[in-house]
């Protein structure tokens, strides 16, 4: 699949935004660290900014955005529609919770608890829906697995956690507990990603033979019937060179997991002040961006079989 | 009703006439225009509802060229419809035809990702998704003569390789053909239950080649010279 920049940005930014919001609210509501009004303000604003920028970029990749409002109508069957509905539902709850928590300078009341709890739930569901948009497609075997939403959830939470550590440090709070949680989430996300990459090598599915129905002989494409590119070749024909895929994968693990874990480790050890946390944030975005690029670049749509691919 | 096509791979000669007539009819039809990009430029491209590909099946000398027309299969389990967030894509209860409401589509491309058969193409000009309508604006038109109430591709095909009918009726031409000629669906393992059926090539006796005379030295040299000298 063609790795479109707008979709990569959308999933990475909104994933991190929701992850940041979820952990900020949990830290605040469950008392996982001292979170005061200032942390809530900056952390909350940053999460809303990331989420909104992501969602806007996803609308930006539509060819006919004037009908985007209709996307809430097929809630019953479409994961894309569900994602839209939950993303929009999240805003009033998330916003009111943050406002209330900020006004009461971090004190937790019953209303804050309810609003925050609902917002956290909606945020989790939204990220799950984003994963399922891809996970539900039978036409792309590399995505059609429960590992897809798992990865979206884990990477969103892990990258959000790294950002939260920086926010805590910048607002003068204790960040040890969050840094510890961040390391755990990063390790978990790295394991899930590793499992996914290994699983992907074992796949088997439709071939050019089942696609054409000639299952007892070699089938080769003689002529695709067109001289220039078509919508299908533009949208689904993308194929990156193997060594680029390999180096991107190395990048995912180095920038996405190793460097951020080291950065958070430095925070835990109390060296370098906020600098290492800042480095971890930059690195995790580079790493998750590379992960998302690979997610698209390695996905092979079955329609490629009709253009001569022997298997997907 | 379950309307659809039967494509006879035994007789399709790969002339692309069906695709051209499809384009001609539908560009002024309900989901038209089928926009062309740089039609007279270097890389002409555009929207087509029907595409013909050509394959070689088997290894020489037991090989065969298969011309392979493909358009929307009007699947019974049409995921393209389920994933569409706006409700622009829908499958008609009464005849099973899958259509796109051009006024509702937001051009997200998601349905084309869900289609295994490459039947959906985005029109970059108008920003909406387009696909085969099974000539819904023809097959019910009572102003046309009975024989003309068929999809444009079916009427056009010079080899009679395309048949249109109701698969719910066991005695319809398409049901009979499918039964008699062992019609099959493409990629059944994905579970889309495509309505369109493909008829495999008939079994034919191989043409004997052992009595073909070996080439003489002179004709070999002539052949080599013809290849070697650029005209
Ligand atoms: S062929 Fe593709 S577009 Fe047509 S009904 Fe099936 S899935 Fe949908
Ligand atoms: S491109 Fe149009 S028809 Fe296809 S899923 Fe999006 S809104 Fe629906
Ligand atoms: S018009 Fe008939 S013979 Fe020509 S490509 Fe189409 S199906 Fe084949």
């Amino acid at each position: 699949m063609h790795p479109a920049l707008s979709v990569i940005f959308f999933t990475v930014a909104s994933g991190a935004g929701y992850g940041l919001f979820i952990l900020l609210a949990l830290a605040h509501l469950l008392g996982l660290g001292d979170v005061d009004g200032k942390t809530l303000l900056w952390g909350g604003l940053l999460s809303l900014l990331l989420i909104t920028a992501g969602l806007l970029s996803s609308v930006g990749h539509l060819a006919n955005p004037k009908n985007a409002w209709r996307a809430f109508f097929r809630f019953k069957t479409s994961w894309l529609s569900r994602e839209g509905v939950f993303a929009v539902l999240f805003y009033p709850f998330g916003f009111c919770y943050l406002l209330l928590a900020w006004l009461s300078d971090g004190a937790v009341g019953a209303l804050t608890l309810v609003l925050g709890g609902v917002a956290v739930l909606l945020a989790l569901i939204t990220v799950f829906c984003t994963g399922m948009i891809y996970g539900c497609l039978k036409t792309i075997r590399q995505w059609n697995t429960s590992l897809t939403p798992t990865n979206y959830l884990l990477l969103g939470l892990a990258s959000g956690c790294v950002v939260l550590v920086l926010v805590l440090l910048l607002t003068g709070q204790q960040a040890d507990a969050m840094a510890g949680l961040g390391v755990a989430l990063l390790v978990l996300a790295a394991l899930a990603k590793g499992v996914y990459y290994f699983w992907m090598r074992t796949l088997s599915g439709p071939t050019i033979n089942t696609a054409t129905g000639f299952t007892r002989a070699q089938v080769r494409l003689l002529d695709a019937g067109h001289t220039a590119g078509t919508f299908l070749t533009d949208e689904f024909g993308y194929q990156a060179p193997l060594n680029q895929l390999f180096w991107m994968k190395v990048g995912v693990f180095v920038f996405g997991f190793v460097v951020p874990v080291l950065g958070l480790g430095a925070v835990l050890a109390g060296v370098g002040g906020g600098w290492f946390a800042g480095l971890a944030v930059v690195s995790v975005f580079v790493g998750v961006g590379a992960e998302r690029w690979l997610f698209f670049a390695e996905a092979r749509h079955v329609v490629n079989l009709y253009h001569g691919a022997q298997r997907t | 009703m379950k309307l659809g096509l039967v494509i006879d791979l035994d007789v399709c000669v790969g002339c692309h006439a069906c695709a051209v007539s499809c384009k001609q009819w539908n560009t002024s039809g309900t989901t038209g225009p089928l926009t062309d990009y740089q039609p007279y430029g270097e890389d002409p491209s555009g929207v087509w509802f029907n595409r013909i590909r050509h394959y070689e099946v088997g290894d020489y000398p037991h090989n065969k060229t298969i011309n392979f027309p493909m358009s929307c299969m009007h699947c019974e389990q049409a995921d393209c419809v389920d994933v569409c967030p706006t409700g622009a894509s829908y499958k008609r209860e009464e005849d099973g035809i899958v259509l796109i409401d051009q006024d509702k589509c937001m051009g997200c491309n998601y349905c084309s990702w869900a289609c295994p058969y490459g039947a959906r193409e985005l029109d970059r000009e108008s920003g909406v998704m387009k696909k085969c309508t099974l000539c819904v604006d023809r097959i019910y038109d009572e102003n046309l003569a009975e024989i003309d109430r068929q999809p444009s591709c079916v009427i056009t095909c010079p080899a009679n390789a395309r048949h249109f009918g109701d698969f719910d009726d066991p005695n319809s031409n398409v049901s009979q053909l499918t039964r008699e000629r062992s019609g099959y669906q493409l990629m059944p393992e994905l579970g889309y239950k495509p309505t369109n059926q493909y008829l495999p090539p008939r079994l034919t006796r191989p043409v004997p080649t052992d009595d073909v005379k070996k080439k003489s030295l002179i004709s070999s040299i002539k052949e080599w010279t013809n290849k070697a000298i650029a005209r």
Side-chain angles (χ1 to χ4, degrees), chain A residues 79-130:
Chain A
W79 284 103
L80 185 51
S81 185
R82 289 173 195 158
E83 198 233 17
V85 169
F86 286 118
V88 167
L89 264 183
F90 164 83
Y91 273 100
F93 287 96
F95 191 74
C96 290
Y97 156 74
L98 284 173
L99 194 68
L100 208 64
W102 176 61
L103 288 177
S104 54
D105 198 26
V108 181
L111 188 60
T112 335
L113 197 64
V114 172
L115 284 175
V118 173
V120 165
L121 209 64
L122 287 172
L124 278 172
I125 296 175
T126 310
V127 181
F128 177 75
C129 289
T130 310

Side-chain angles (χ1 to χ4, degrees), chain B residues 11-18 52 69 157-159 161-162:
Chain B
V11 294
C12 172
V13 293
C15 64
H16 294 237
C18 49
I52 295 93
C157 177
R162 308 178 69 94

Side-chain angles (χ1 to χ4, degrees), chain A residues 1 7 61-75 77-81 132-134 136-140 143 205-208 210-214 217-232 234-236 296 301-303 305-308, chain B residues 9 16 43-46 51-59 65-66 68 70 77 79 81-90 102-110 112-122 124 126-129 184-192 200-201:
Chain A
M1 300 291 288
V7 181
H61 106 281
L62 300 177
N64 192 23
K66 74 172 194 302
N67 275 343
W69 59 276
R70 292 185 186 271
F72 305 115
F73 292 156
R74 265 287 176 75
F75 184 83
T77 59
S78 169
W79 284 103
L80 185 51
S81 185
M132 282 309 288
I133 291 176
Y134 306 103
C136 76
L137 293 173
K138 293 191 215 101
T139 44
I140 300 170
W143 293 354
T207 60
I208 194 169
T210 62
T212 55
F214 297 100
Q218 262 282 325
V219 179
R220 296 177 206 82
L221 181 72
L222 286 177
D223 190 327
H226 41 75
T227 49
T230 69
F231 170 76
L232 298 173
D234 289 351
E235 188 77 1
F236 304 113
F296 286 95
H301 194 283
V302 291
V303 81
L305 298 172
Y306 293 108
H307 292 130
Chain B
L9 298 178
H16 294 237
D43 284 328
S45 180
R51 288 185 183 275
I52 295 93
R53 300 169 180 110
H54 311 270
Y55 300 96
E56 178 189 26
V57 175
D59 299 307
T65 299
I66 301 286
F68 212 93
M70 284 177 74
Q77 177 50 52
D79 276 17
V81 170
D82 289 346
V83 304
C84 169
T86 60
S89 286
Y90 61 102
Q102 302 286 296
D103 294 332
K104 289 188 185 165
C105 174
M106 64 176 187
C108 64
N109 281 358
Y110 193 29
S112 71
W113 294 13
C115 171
Y117 307 109
R120 294 175 166 249
E121 302 196 7
L122 184 85
R124 290 210 301 262
S126 58
V128 289
M129 195 55 72
Y184 63 88
Q185 303 170 328
L186 307 185
M187 267 192 286
E189 67 271 32
L190 288 185
Y192 281 63

